[in-house]
Amino acid sequence: MPFTQIGELHVYYEIHGTGPSLLNISGSGGDLRATFPARNPLNKNFTVLHFDQRGLGQTSTPATPYSMRQYADDAAALVGAIGWDHCHVVGASFGGMVAQHLAIHHEDLVDRLVLNCTSPGGSASSFPLHTIQPLDIEARIELLLGLYDCRWDPGKSDPIPGLGPYYDRMIERMRTPREPAAEQGFLAQLEARGNHDVVNRLHHISAPTLVCAGEFDDLAPVANSHVLADRIPNAQLKIFDGGHLFLLQDRSAFDHIAAFLLDD
């Protein structure tokens, strides 16, 4: 299994696909054992670096707390460790927040940038997930499902439109307790997420940027994507038919992202 040492961090990563180099940064609680990176549609057009962020999955859990800058520096160090000088970057949700810090602090590394279902923080923040951790698991799941897609209706055969069989698998995963180290890393990630704020530094992002949003997303509302697209100098906005999970709900999303990244 591929691991590399980056300072205090023992990082698990996988590389799939062929084509231009692309770094894929996952969302809150991301674990490659559950997200099946070998099946990611981006692998069809790109050589994609997938990895577990600090405190998550098979990557080590150093002492907390963590900062958003640390997550970005980890990503930059991993790209260098595998021998890439630069690459495209795609980040979803929390991964999109990390990608913003990466594009600000390591701008020479980023060729083109895609920010999916994410927020810049400050006056345009995503829902504060760290505040709902004291709720019991069923109450937390019910709240999250409504945030993922404001059309959520548990009485329907397709409670979140377009999500299909992934709906039940997602709930099963949410109900599965984490190991103590994984829970520590997850809570540290949520704390860092709550401190994310680059809204007044977005003008420093120089990479051509595609901001993607789900029309029915209440976790990272479309209004936040408008802020990203308005404040990043060379950015465009695309709104898809779905919520926070539009990448699974709208089959056109990955094709649109690939076309943007391959555009010379």
Side-chain angles (χ1 to χ4, degrees):
M1 294 191 297
F3 287 89
T4 190
Q5 194 71 29
I6 300 172
E8 63 179 353
L9 203 61
H10 198 49
V11 180
Y12 177 78
Y13 70 95
E14 296 181 17
I15 298 176
H16 297 280
T18 57
S21 302
L22 187 156
L23 171 68
N24 185 49
I25 312 178
S26 58
S28 299
D31 183 335
L32 296 191
R33 292 171 295 188
T35 55
F36 308 108
R39 303 179 194 173
N40 190 297
L42 293 171
N43 301 339
K44 297 176 184 177
N45 300 102
F46 304 94
T47 300
V48 186
L49 171 59
H50 309 264
F51 71 108
D52 288 334
Q53 299 183 75
R54 61 171 52 227
L56 301 173
Q58 297 176 78
T59 291
S60 59
T61 305
T64 60
Y66 306 148
S67 69
M68 294 302 301
R69 178 65 186 270
Q70 281 180 300
Y71 287 102
D73 290 347
D74 292 343
L78 175 60
V79 168
I82 68 165
W84 293 356
D85 296 323
H86 54 87
C87 60
H88 298 313
V89 176
V90 174
S93 194
F94 176 82
M97 300 178 191
V98 175
Q100 293 165 53
H101 287 265
L102 186 65
I104 290 168
H105 297 291
H106 301 274
E107 61 178 311
D108 291 341
L109 182 149
V110 182
D111 292 333
R112 284 181 168 251
L113 177 66
V114 178
L115 303 175
N116 293 321
C117 53
T118 193
S119 303
S123 58
S125 292
S126 292
F127 183 89
L129 292 178
H130 62 284
T131 64
I132 68 171
Q133 296 312 299
L135 297 177
D136 71 76
I137 185 60
E138 294 305 319
R140 202 184 317 150
I141 289 173
E142 182 174 350
L143 178 58
L144 283 170
L145 292 174
L147 290 170
Y148 286 156
D149 194 309
C150 64
R151 301 168 296 174
W152 175 64
D153 184 347
K156 292 186 176 180
S157 58
D158 193 12
I160 295 181
L163 204 55
Y166 188 81
Y167 178 83
D168 291 331
R169 295 198 298 270
M170 179 177 67
I171 293 177
E172 180 182 0
R173 184 186 172 206
M174 292 165 73
R175 286 179 175 150
T176 303
R178 295 183 182 84
E179 296 293 330
E183 182 69 7
Q184 177 188 353
F186 176 64
L187 294 177
Q189 185 185 41
L190 293 188
E191 181 180 357
R193 178 185 180 279
N195 294 322
H196 167 64
D197 183 1
V198 295
V199 71
N200 292 321
R201 289 183 282 162
L202 294 173
H203 62 280
H204 292 299
I205 295 178
S206 59
T209 301
L210 173 65
V211 180
C212 299
E215 181 179 359
F216 305 101
D217 188 351
D218 274 356
L219 184 59
V222 172
N224 296 356
S225 291
H226 279 283
V227 173
L228 286 166
D230 289 345
R231 297 201 178 196
I232 295 173
N234 190 15
Q236 56 184 277
L237 174 64
K238 176 67 175 177
I239 299 174
F240 291 95
D241 182 16
H244 198 66
L245 306 173
F246 73 82
L247 288 168
L248 298 171
Q249 295 171 279
D250 189 331
R251 294 187 179 182
S252 72
F254 278 109
D255 287 342
H256 194 92
I257 290 168
F260 168 78
L261 292 173
L262 292 170
D263 185 8
D264 292 331

PDB file of all heavy atoms in Angstrom, residues 100-123:
ATOM      1  N   GLN A 100      -8.742  26.128  -1.686  1.00  0.00           N
ATOM      2  CA  GLN A 100      -8.619  27.587  -1.701  1.00  0.00           C
ATOM      3  C   GLN A 100      -7.330  28.031  -1.014  1.00  0.00           C
ATOM      4  O   GLN A 100      -6.599  28.887  -1.529  1.00  0.00           O
ATOM      5  CB  GLN A 100      -9.826  28.214  -1.001  1.00  0.00           C
ATOM      6  CG  GLN A 100     -11.143  28.025  -1.743  1.00  0.00           C
ATOM      7  CD  GLN A 100     -12.341  28.324  -0.873  1.00  0.00           C
ATOM      8  OE1 GLN A 100     -12.437  29.390  -0.262  1.00  0.00           O
ATOM      9  NE2 GLN A 100     -13.271  27.381  -0.778  1.00  0.00           N
ATOM     10  N   HIS A 101      -7.041  27.445   0.152  1.00  0.00           N
ATOM     11  CA  HIS A 101      -5.792  27.771   0.849  1.00  0.00           C
ATOM     12  C   HIS A 101      -4.584  27.343   0.014  1.00  0.00           C
ATOM     13  O   HIS A 101      -3.567  28.049  -0.023  1.00  0.00           O
ATOM     14  CB  HIS A 101      -5.760  27.083   2.213  1.00  0.00           C
ATOM     15  CG  HIS A 101      -6.675  27.695   3.225  1.00  0.00           C
ATOM     16  ND1 HIS A 101      -6.259  28.633   4.144  1.00  0.00           N
ATOM     17  CD2 HIS A 101      -8.000  27.512   3.454  1.00  0.00           C
ATOM     18  CE1 HIS A 101      -7.282  28.998   4.905  1.00  0.00           C
ATOM     19  NE2 HIS A 101      -8.354  28.335   4.507  1.00  0.00           N
ATOM     20  N   LEU A 102      -4.693  26.207  -0.643  1.00  0.00           N
ATOM     21  CA  LEU A 102      -3.601  25.728  -1.490  1.00  0.00           C
ATOM     22  C   LEU A 102      -3.338  26.707  -2.634  1.00  0.00           C
ATOM     23  O   LEU A 102      -2.185  27.054  -2.917  1.00  0.00           O
ATOM     24  CB  LEU A 102      -3.970  24.345  -2.037  1.00  0.00           C
ATOM     25  CG  LEU A 102      -2.913  23.587  -2.837  1.00  0.00           C
ATOM     26  CD1 LEU A 102      -1.717  23.238  -1.964  1.00  0.00           C
ATOM     27  CD2 LEU A 102      -3.522  22.323  -3.432  1.00  0.00           C
ATOM     28  N   ALA A 103      -4.406  27.180  -3.280  1.00  0.00           N
ATOM     29  CA  ALA A 103      -4.247  28.098  -4.412  1.00  0.00           C
ATOM     30  C   ALA A 103      -3.742  29.468  -3.982  1.00  0.00           C
ATOM     31  O   ALA A 103      -3.106  30.175  -4.771  1.00  0.00           O
ATOM     32  CB  ALA A 103      -5.580  28.239  -5.146  1.00  0.00           C
ATOM     33  N   ILE A 104      -3.992  29.838  -2.725  1.00  0.00           N
ATOM     34  CA  ILE A 104      -3.509  31.123  -2.206  1.00  0.00           C
ATOM     35  C   ILE A 104      -2.048  31.038  -1.774  1.00  0.00           C
ATOM     36  O   ILE A 104      -1.234  31.907  -2.097  1.00  0.00           O
ATOM     37  CB  ILE A 104      -4.396  31.591  -1.035  1.00  0.00           C
ATOM     38  CG1 ILE A 104      -5.786  31.991  -1.547  1.00  0.00           C
ATOM     39  CG2 ILE A 104      -3.751  32.757  -0.278  1.00  0.00           C
ATOM     40  CD1 ILE A 104      -6.817  32.202  -0.453  1.00  0.00           C
ATOM     41  N   HIS A 105      -1.701  29.962  -1.059  1.00  0.00           N
ATOM     42  CA  HIS A 105      -0.363  29.860  -0.454  1.00  0.00           C
ATOM     43  C   HIS A 105       0.639  29.090  -1.311  1.00  0.00           C
ATOM     44  O   HIS A 105       1.852  29.173  -1.056  1.00  0.00           O
ATOM     45  CB  HIS A 105      -0.464  29.213   0.924  1.00  0.00           C
ATOM     46  CG  HIS A 105      -1.271  30.002   1.909  1.00  0.00           C
ATOM     47  ND1 HIS A 105      -0.847  31.203   2.413  1.00  0.00           N
ATOM     48  CD2 HIS A 105      -2.496  29.772   2.452  1.00  0.00           C
ATOM     49  CE1 HIS A 105      -1.760  31.685   3.248  1.00  0.00           C
ATOM     50  NE2 HIS A 105      -2.769  30.845   3.286  1.00  0.00           N
ATOM     51  N   HIS A 106       0.156  28.328  -2.295  1.00  0.00           N
ATOM     52  CA  HIS A 106       1.039  27.550  -3.171  1.00  0.00           C
ATOM     53  C   HIS A 106       0.582  27.748  -4.616  1.00  0.00           C
ATOM     54  O   HIS A 106       0.356  26.786  -5.350  1.00  0.00           O
ATOM     55  CB  HIS A 106       0.991  26.063  -2.794  1.00  0.00           C
ATOM     56  CG  HIS A 106       1.403  25.770  -1.387  1.00  0.00           C
ATOM     57  ND1 HIS A 106       2.714  25.574  -1.009  1.00  0.00           N
ATOM     58  CD2 HIS A 106       0.661  25.658  -0.252  1.00  0.00           C
ATOM     59  CE1 HIS A 106       2.773  25.343   0.299  1.00  0.00           C
ATOM     60  NE2 HIS A 106       1.542  25.381   0.783  1.00  0.00           N
ATOM     61  N   GLU A 107       0.490  29.001  -5.035  1.00  0.00           N
ATOM     62  CA  GLU A 107      -0.144  29.309  -6.316  1.00  0.00           C
ATOM     63  C   GLU A 107       0.606  28.720  -7.508  1.00  0.00           C
ATOM     64  O   GLU A 107      -0.013  28.397  -8.530  1.00  0.00           O
ATOM     65  CB  GLU A 107      -0.309  30.816  -6.479  1.00  0.00           C
ATOM     66  CG  GLU A 107       0.979  31.610  -6.465  1.00  0.00           C
ATOM     67  CD  GLU A 107       0.709  33.097  -6.671  1.00  0.00           C
ATOM     68  OE1 GLU A 107      -0.026  33.441  -7.608  1.00  0.00           O
ATOM     69  OE2 GLU A 107       1.241  33.895  -5.886  1.00  0.00           O
ATOM     70  N   ASP A 108       1.917  28.538  -7.414  1.00  0.00           N
ATOM     71  CA  ASP A 108       2.673  27.989  -8.541  1.00  0.00           C
ATOM     72  C   ASP A 108       2.379  26.508  -8.759  1.00  0.00           C
ATOM     73  O   ASP A 108       2.680  25.965  -9.824  1.00  0.00           O
ATOM     74  CB  ASP A 108       4.175  28.179  -8.318  1.00  0.00           C
ATOM     75  CG  ASP A 108       4.592  29.637  -8.401  1.00  0.00           C
ATOM     76  OD1 ASP A 108       3.821  30.439  -8.962  1.00  0.00           O
ATOM     77  OD2 ASP A 108       5.675  29.978  -7.888  1.00  0.00           O
ATOM     78  N   LEU A 109       1.803  25.859  -7.772  1.00  0.00           N
ATOM     79  CA  LEU A 109       1.500  24.437  -7.870  1.00  0.00           C
ATOM     80  C   LEU A 109       0.233  24.181  -8.672  1.00  0.00           C
ATOM     81  O   LEU A 109       0.083  23.131  -9.294  1.00  0.00           O
ATOM     82  CB  LEU A 109       1.360  23.845  -6.463  1.00  0.00           C
ATOM     83  CG  LEU A 109       1.089  22.360  -6.295  1.00  0.00           C
ATOM     84  CD1 LEU A 109       1.723  21.858  -5.004  1.00  0.00           C
ATOM     85  CD2 LEU A 109      -0.413  22.069  -6.254  1.00  0.00           C
ATOM     86  N   VAL A 110      -0.701  25.145  -8.665  1.00  0.00           N
ATOM     87  CA  VAL A 110      -2.051  24.913  -9.187  1.00  0.00           C
ATOM     88  C   VAL A 110      -2.180  25.408 -10.629  1.00  0.00           C
ATOM     89  O   VAL A 110      -2.050  26.604 -10.899  1.00  0.00           O
ATOM     90  CB  VAL A 110      -3.108  25.611  -8.302  1.00  0.00           C
ATOM     91  CG1 VAL A 110      -4.520  25.321  -8.817  1.00  0.00           C
ATOM     92  CG2 VAL A 110      -2.968  25.162  -6.848  1.00  0.00           C
ATOM     93  N   ASP A 111      -2.461  24.483 -11.558  1.00  0.00           N
ATOM     94  CA  ASP A 111      -2.688  24.855 -12.956  1.00  0.00           C
ATOM     95  C   ASP A 111      -4.115  25.379 -13.146  1.00  0.00           C
ATOM     96  O   ASP A 111      -4.321  26.513 -13.526  1.00  0.00           O
ATOM     97  CB  ASP A 111      -2.445  23.653 -13.863  1.00  0.00           C
ATOM     98  CG  ASP A 111      -0.992  23.239 -13.901  1.00  0.00           C
ATOM     99  OD1 ASP A 111      -0.121  24.104 -13.682  1.00  0.00           O
ATOM    100  OD2 ASP A 111      -0.715  22.044 -14.126  1.00  0.00           O
ATOM    101  N   ARG A 112      -5.073  24.522 -12.909  1.00  0.00           N
ATOM    102  CA  ARG A 112      -6.490  24.894 -12.953  1.00  0.00           C
ATOM    103  C   ARG A 112      -7.156  24.371 -11.690  1.00  0.00           C
ATOM    104  O   ARG A 112      -6.757  23.327 -11.157  1.00  0.00           O
ATOM    105  CB  ARG A 112      -7.193  24.346 -14.204  1.00  0.00           C
ATOM    106  CG  ARG A 112      -6.860  25.130 -15.462  1.00  0.00           C
ATOM    107  CD  ARG A 112      -7.570  24.597 -16.702  1.00  0.00           C
ATOM    108  NE  ARG A 112      -7.427  25.576 -17.778  1.00  0.00           N
ATOM    109  CZ  ARG A 112      -8.423  26.331 -18.242  1.00  0.00           C
ATOM    110  NH1 ARG A 112      -9.641  26.198 -17.742  1.00  0.00           N
ATOM    111  NH2 ARG A 112      -8.213  27.205 -19.208  1.00  0.00           N
ATOM    112  N   LEU A 113      -8.190  25.081 -11.247  1.00  0.00           N
ATOM    113  CA  LEU A 113      -8.798  24.810  -9.949  1.00  0.00           C
ATOM    114  C   LEU A 113     -10.296  24.600 -10.114  1.00  0.00           C
ATOM    115  O   LEU A 113     -10.971  25.372 -10.790  1.00  0.00           O
ATOM    116  CB  LEU A 113      -8.532  26.004  -9.027  1.00  0.00           C
ATOM    117  CG  LEU A 113      -9.140  25.999  -7.622  1.00  0.00           C
ATOM    118  CD1 LEU A 113      -8.532  24.882  -6.779  1.00  0.00           C
ATOM    119  CD2 LEU A 113      -8.915  27.356  -6.957  1.00  0.00           C
ATOM    120  N   VAL A 114     -10.816  23.537  -9.468  1.00  0.00           N
ATOM    121  CA  VAL A 114     -12.258  23.299  -9.428  1.00  0.00           C
ATOM    122  C   VAL A 114     -12.695  23.234  -7.973  1.00  0.00           C
ATOM    123  O   VAL A 114     -12.150  22.448  -7.180  1.00  0.00           O
ATOM    124  CB  VAL A 114     -12.653  21.999 -10.154  1.00  0.00           C
ATOM    125  CG1 VAL A 114     -14.163  21.767 -10.051  1.00  0.00           C
ATOM    126  CG2 VAL A 114     -12.224  22.047 -11.618  1.00  0.00           C
ATOM    127  N   LEU A 115     -13.664  24.067  -7.619  1.00  0.00           N
ATOM    128  CA  LEU A 115     -14.187  24.135  -6.254  1.00  0.00           C
ATOM    129  C   LEU A 115     -15.633  23.664  -6.267  1.00  0.00           C
ATOM    130  O   LEU A 115     -16.515  24.336  -6.811  1.00  0.00           O
ATOM    131  CB  LEU A 115     -14.097  25.572  -5.731  1.00  0.00           C
ATOM    132  CG  LEU A 115     -12.700  26.200  -5.726  1.00  0.00           C
ATOM    133  CD1 LEU A 115     -12.773  27.664  -5.308  1.00  0.00           C
ATOM    134  CD2 LEU A 115     -11.762  25.426  -4.794  1.00  0.00           C
ATOM    135  N   ASN A 116     -15.883  22.492  -5.674  1.00  0.00           N
ATOM    136  CA  ASN A 116     -17.207  21.884  -5.682  1.00  0.00           C
ATOM    137  C   ASN A 116     -17.899  22.032  -4.335  1.00  0.00           C
ATOM    138  O   ASN A 116     -17.297  21.735  -3.293  1.00  0.00           O
ATOM    139  CB  ASN A 116     -17.099  20.391  -6.014  1.00  0.00           C
ATOM    140  CG  ASN A 116     -16.622  20.137  -7.427  1.00  0.00           C
ATOM    141  OD1 ASN A 116     -17.015  20.844  -8.355  1.00  0.00           O
ATOM    142  ND2 ASN A 116     -15.792  19.119  -7.608  1.00  0.00           N
ATOM    143  N   CYS A 117     -19.149  22.474  -4.356  1.00  0.00           N
ATOM    144  CA  CYS A 117     -20.021  22.519  -3.168  1.00  0.00           C
ATOM    145  C   CYS A 117     -19.264  22.984  -1.922  1.00  0.00           C
ATOM    146  O   CYS A 117     -19.221  22.282  -0.914  1.00  0.00           O
ATOM    147  CB  CYS A 117     -20.698  21.176  -2.929  1.00  0.00           C
ATOM    148  SG  CYS A 117     -19.623  19.723  -2.842  1.00  0.00           S
ATOM    149  N   THR A 118     -18.701  24.174  -1.998  1.00  0.00           N
ATOM    150  CA  THR A 118     -17.857  24.657  -0.913  1.00  0.00           C
ATOM    151  C   THR A 118     -18.109  26.138  -0.661  1.00  0.00           C
ATOM    152  O   THR A 118     -18.963  26.752  -1.307  1.00  0.00           O
ATOM    153  CB  THR A 118     -16.376  24.369  -1.227  1.00  0.00           C
ATOM    154  OG1 THR A 118     -15.590  24.565  -0.058  1.00  0.00           O
ATOM    155  CG2 THR A 118     -15.863  25.238  -2.364  1.00  0.00           C
ATOM    156  N   SER A 119     -17.374  26.702   0.282  1.00  0.00           N
ATOM    157  CA  SER A 119     -17.591  28.082   0.714  1.00  0.00           C
ATOM    158  C   SER A 119     -16.259  28.737   1.061  1.00  0.00           C
ATOM    159  O   SER A 119     -15.308  28.050   1.441  1.00  0.00           O
ATOM    160  CB  SER A 119     -18.496  28.127   1.949  1.00  0.00           C
ATOM    161  OG  SER A 119     -19.743  27.493   1.717  1.00  0.00           O
ATOM    162  N   PRO A 120     -16.208  30.079   0.984  1.00  0.00           N
ATOM    163  CA  PRO A 120     -14.975  30.774   1.345  1.00  0.00           C
ATOM    164  C   PRO A 120     -14.865  31.116   2.819  1.00  0.00           C
ATOM    165  O   PRO A 120     -13.820  31.584   3.261  1.00  0.00           O
ATOM    166  CB  PRO A 120     -15.048  32.054   0.507  1.00  0.00           C
ATOM    167  CG  PRO A 120     -16.503  32.347   0.407  1.00  0.00           C
ATOM    168  CD  PRO A 120     -17.169  30.998   0.336  1.00  0.00           C
ATOM    169  N   GLY A 121     -15.934  30.904   3.585  1.00  0.00           N
ATOM    170  CA  GLY A 121     -15.909  31.236   5.012  1.00  0.00           C
ATOM    171  C   GLY A 121     -16.324  32.670   5.266  1.00  0.00           C
ATOM    172  O   GLY A 121     -16.826  33.366   4.389  1.00  0.00           O
ATOM    173  N   GLY A 122     -16.095  33.112   6.504  1.00  0.00           N
ATOM    174  CA  GLY A 122     -16.457  34.472   6.870  1.00  0.00           C
ATOM    175  C   GLY A 122     -17.943  34.709   6.713  1.00  0.00           C
ATOM    176  O   GLY A 122     -18.775  33.942   7.210  1.00  0.00           O
ATOM    177  N   SER A 123     -18.299  35.733   5.972  1.00  0.00           N
ATOM    178  CA  SER A 123     -19.707  36.065   5.760  1.00  0.00           C
ATOM    179  C   SER A 123     -20.409  35.103   4.813  1.00  0.00           C
ATOM    180  O   SER A 123     -21.622  35.195   4.621  1.00  0.00           O
ATOM    181  CB  SER A 123     -19.811  37.486   5.190  1.00  0.00           C
ATOM    182  OG  SER A 123     -19.087  37.579   3.966  1.00  0.00           O
TER     183      SER A 123
END
